[in-house]
Amino acid sequence: FLVMEQSKKHISIGTDTSLNDGEKQNIVKSIQDLLKESEIDPYSDIKEPPIALQIDNMTFATLGNFSCITGKPKSRKTYFLSLIIASTLCNNQNKKITTNLSKTCVLHFDTEQSRYHTQKVSRRILSLTNNKEISQENYKCYCLRPYSPEERKKIIMEAIYNAKNVKFVFIDGIADLIVGYNNEESAINIINDLMKWTAELKIHLITI
């Protein structure tokens, strides 16, 4: 029963009536739209994603995708990442690592190190580019160590969805975006986020 406070009138509602019928129809319609959007036509012309990075003339990264650098502790993963970032900022500076993109915004997030050590890495990257003007204009570095996993994710989203002409995003410490290393649900959620961000923004995202 619904009770009207002013008149105290009682209105009867049938047992077979659902207040959520409209919402259910919207959900079904939405899923049908998604099904239609996701269907692949084998005979249509789908263009190959633009190449973002090459190493030794072999494709390493394409726009709309993400990749992960793995290795044992102290195996210089961050240094390798620094080389890649420097190469994206100053194309052809490193003959081994090259990009077909130029003057793009590069976002670099460090989730593990202190502000001092994050700045130290960023300065090393700038020294590798040997082009201060390009680096100051196109390179943004952030230290996310003080924040919670959820705050870190929101900060990254805010940056990548609002930065102009961003094509490369680097996250040094992807595990620090999940709540507990053995939390399967949190891990799946962050992978879904990476797939969503890269697909929607047509960027390449590299994690460690």
Side-chain angles (χ1 to χ4, degrees):
F1 295 101
L2 291 181
V3 180
M4 307 298 292
E5 292 296 331
Q6 295 296 327
S7 61
K8 299 296 183 180
K9 291 182 180 179
H10 294 268
I11 302 174
S12 297
I13 299 177
T15 56
D16 60 342
T17 303
S18 171
L19 297 178
N20 297 319
D21 283 348
E23 181 181 351
K24 183 178 179 181
Q25 289 175 1
N26 289 336
I27 292 176
V28 171
K29 183 179 179 181
S30 176
I31 294 298
Q32 289 173 344
D33 290 341
L34 294 177
L35 178 64
K36 186 175 181 179
E37 291 175 4
S38 62
E39 184 179 2
I40 294 295
D41 179 3
Y43 304 102
S44 65
D45 183 19
I46 300 178
K47 295 183 179 180
E48 184 178 356
I51 296 174
L53 276 175
Q54 290 181 309
I55 298 180
D56 280 342
N57 295 319
M58 295 183 63
T59 299
F60 174 78
T62 57
L63 296 184
N65 290 303
F66 67 95
S67 52
C68 183
I69 299 170
T70 64
K72 295 181 179 179
K74 305 302 179 182
S75 60
R76 308 202 75 184
K77 298 184 296 293
T78 298
Y79 181 75
F80 178 56
L81 188 71
S82 300
L83 289 174
I84 295 177
I85 297 175
S87 298
T88 62
L89 288 168
C90 198
N91 191 23
N92 296 327
Q93 184 75 22
N94 185 320
K95 294 182 180 180
K96 291 283 186 179
I97 307 174
T98 58
T99 176
N100 295 331
L101 308 173
S102 60
K103 294 184 178 180
T104 64
C105 178
V106 176
L107 302 181
H108 172 203
F109 302 93
D110 193 302
T111 65
E112 298 176 323
Q113 301 187 95
S114 65
R115 292 180 64 86
Y116 171 81
H117 288 96
T118 300
Q119 183 191 58
K120 194 172 180 180
V121 172
S122 70
R123 286 180 172 177
R124 179 173 63 199
I125 292 169
L126 298 185
S127 68
L128 290 170
T129 65
N130 200 27
N131 192 322
K132 186 176 181 180
E133 183 179 347
I134 290 178
S135 301
Q136 285 182 330
E137 182 180 353
N138 300 325
Y139 173 65
K140 300 291 183 183
C141 181
Y142 302 88
C143 173
L144 304 185
R145 179 176 176 176
Y147 309 107
S148 69
E150 187 62 26
E151 287 174 326
R152 291 171 188 143
K153 187 175 75 170
K154 289 180 179 179
I155 292 170
I156 293 172
M157 286 183 61
E158 176 69 18
I160 65 176
Y161 275 90
N162 290 284
K164 294 181 179 179
N165 198 32
V166 60
K167 294 299 180 186
F168 293 102
V169 175
F170 300 88
I171 303 176
D172 193 345
I174 189 65
D176 295 314
L177 298 186
I178 64 175
V179 183
Y181 293 124
N182 295 319
N183 190 316
E184 184 178 351
E185 181 180 357
S186 182
I188 291 173
N189 287 339
I190 193 59
I191 292 300
N192 287 335
D193 286 332
L194 297 184
M195 291 192 288
K196 181 176 183 289
W197 299 343
T198 51
E200 288 183 352
L201 299 174
K202 298 296 185 291
I203 60 177
H204 191 86
L205 193 152
I206 297 179
T207 72
I208 289 185

